Amino acid sequence: MKNGLLALILGTMTFAALADDNGGDRVKRGEYLARAGDCVACHTSKDGKPFAGGLPMATPIGTIYSTNITPDKATGIGDYSYDDFQKAVRHGVAKNGDTLYPAMPYPSYAVVSDEDMQALYAYFMHGVAPVEQANHKSDIPWPLSMRWPLAIWRTMFAPDVKAFQPAAQEDPELARGRYLVEGLGHCGACHTPRSITMQEKALNNGEGSDYLAGSSAPIDGWTASNLRGDNRDGLGRWSEEDLRQFLRYGRNGHTAAFGGMTEVVEHSLQHLSDKDIAAIAHYLKSLGAKDPNQAAFSVDDATAKALWKGDDSATGASVYVDSCAACHKTDGSGYQRFFPALRGNPVVMAEDPTSLIHIVLAGGTLPGVKGAPTTITMPAFGWRLDDQQVADVVNFIRTSWGNGGKSDVTAKDVAKLRKDKTIQPYQGSADIHQLENQ
């Protein structure tokens, strides 16, 4: 996931995503755009230099590593022309002609305007410190490591590069939010389900209701949430203000960010202008439900009453009381903007319980941000709860307070996730204070 503004340019001019409030300073504008695209999160390894690459990313066929995109001429992109740069970002083709792995979200960036691409190029060439750091080779074994199949994939599934245009008579705020979500924000890269051939099932809302309907498989041990208007596992019960609070601070009265979303808030969203945050929220709230027939959430206080009376005989209840209730309360309501509610939480009610199991095992930390400086940490419980206890408490949470989930998580499910190398106690994201001080 920053004070520039998006603007709808009328007449014969094209849609320019972000208005330049910096007196024509293209480098500053590019810095804002790089934050909007959250470039630093993927291109900075833990304890590494900003944009120097080396961050490992697990894929079904092996681990790949992000590349050095500093202007170092030997190991980075210092000898890239503007055309080389825009071909890599929007077309997915490196300077040497290789097709990039689609972990680089060039299918989303295909709609980024020429003006914004030029500003990004100016920033990476003149606003980023060069770092001499060789790129790390992927750990994908041969023959899967061959690049030519990626070129076929790109030809089949990557969209044509075409700068974003608002629809006729489209509300400017809606168009602004749509541009950020579909383009630079590349939200669909995580939040849209993928086909068996790994392309996103939809790149925008016009291609169907799969767009932003939630990931089809875990990414680094987390599932990306449904961002559409569904009543239970989506954002149907959130207001635009709820969304603005979550985007800006990573927390609101319903929930708090976790997993990779904490880095999006920390490195990107907290730096966006108020108008851009409002535009994103406005656009997301315009999306219809993936499942319009999904029943609305309704509170059931039977569990809360039982626990209030000291009855923890239900499977998983005693573990919940001992380990969870102090922060999330016996009625599952939590403490607003600090410890998220589990009652009615879309993540809890999602069909896939992976994220819930993960956070019980490994915990998590939401860093303090501007306007919400308190760091929120959930401790890891995997060190003292066995697989059956974790399964029991997850099932208890998913079936209590009206959440209506299935109690089908087993000890084997937990054991499998516990063995995943990505499931580790949270250690914090890459330190990019150097970027803040540039």
Side-chain angles (χ1 to χ4, degrees), residues 33 185 211 237 322 331 350 378:
L33 290 163
Y211 184 61
R237 290 176 287 121
D322 290 344
D331 65 357
M378 174 171 165

Side-chain angles (χ1 to χ4, degrees), residues 243-327:
L243 259 172
R244 288 193 292 268
Q245 291 281 321
F246 182 79
L247 295 169
R248 170 69 72 206
Y249 307 119
R251 63 205 81 184
N252 61 18
H254 298 276
T255 192
F258 60 88
M261 193 64 194
T262 62
E263 296 183 0
V264 176
V265 173
E266 181 183 10
H267 302 326
S268 176
L269 292 172
Q270 71 160 320
H271 301 285
L272 292 180
S273 68
D274 289 341
K275 286 190 176 181
D276 285 347
I277 289 291
I280 292 171
H282 186 57
Y283 172 65
L284 290 177
K285 282 300 293 181
S286 76
L287 300 178
K290 168 68 175 174
D291 178 9
N293 298 317
Q294 199 173 82
F297 170 75
S298 179
V299 175
D300 183 340
D301 63 359
T303 296
K305 287 180 177 178
L307 295 181
W308 181 257
K309 294 177 181 177
D311 180 2
D312 62 358
S313 59
T315 302
S318 61
V319 177
Y320 180 84
V321 170
D322 290 344
S323 301
C324 314
C327 294

